Amino acid sequence: MNSEPTPNALHRGLSTGAALSLNVIDMVGVGPFVTLPLIVGVMGGPQAMLGWLMGALLSLCDGLIWSELGTAYPEAGGSYAYLKHLYGEKTWGRAFSFLYAWQVLISAPSRSPPGV
């Protein structure tokens, strides 16, 4: 059977730019577009941007920490695996990773989906 897409068929895939845009909108959402004009209006000037720049710096530090953890412990599991390794697999690491998984099971479904 021919697996080549026909000329009229839709291509199932995302370009790098489209994938990046979807990830940014999923993580950031519309918050900056809603709150930034309100903050600039209340503060009466461009000094409101200082808070956004400081937030960007903190986000950069957070991203660097997560990339360092991902490099040190290259396995699936994210925070669960990091807590288990950092606090010991036989001691506090088991308890912290277990509690983390349970709080995600409770808190993740309670968050509203994007756009709601």
Side-chain angles (χ1 to χ4, degrees):
M1 194 180 248
N2 189 3
S3 64
E4 295 285 325
T6 61
N8 294 333
L10 293 175
H11 173 68
R12 291 187 176 260
L14 295 172
S15 66
T16 303
L20 178 67
S21 300
L22 284 172
N23 280 323
V24 168
I25 224 36
D26 185 44
M27 291 187 321
V28 176
V30 297
F33 304 110
V34 173
T35 59
L36 190 57
L38 298 173
I39 292 172
V40 171
V42 169
M43 293 190 73
Q47 69 270 19
M49 291 302 294
L50 182 62
W52 288 101
L53 292 174
M54 291 175 63
L57 179 67
L58 286 173
S59 296
L60 177 68
C61 294
D62 184 55
L64 291 173
I65 290 169
W66 279 101
S67 65
E68 188 72 27
L69 284 170
T71 304
Y73 305 110
E75 63 183 62
S79 298
Y80 179 86
Y82 301 151
L83 287 169
K84 187 174 64 173
H85 284 294
L86 293 174
Y87 290 102
E89 294 184 32
K90 301 287 185 199
T91 56
W92 286 103
R94 287 182 63 178
F96 286 153
S97 57
F98 173 79
L99 291 173
Y100 171 77
W102 271 101
Q103 72 88 20
V104 167
L105 284 174
I106 293 169
S107 68
S110 67
R111 292 186 290 165
S112 63
V116 174

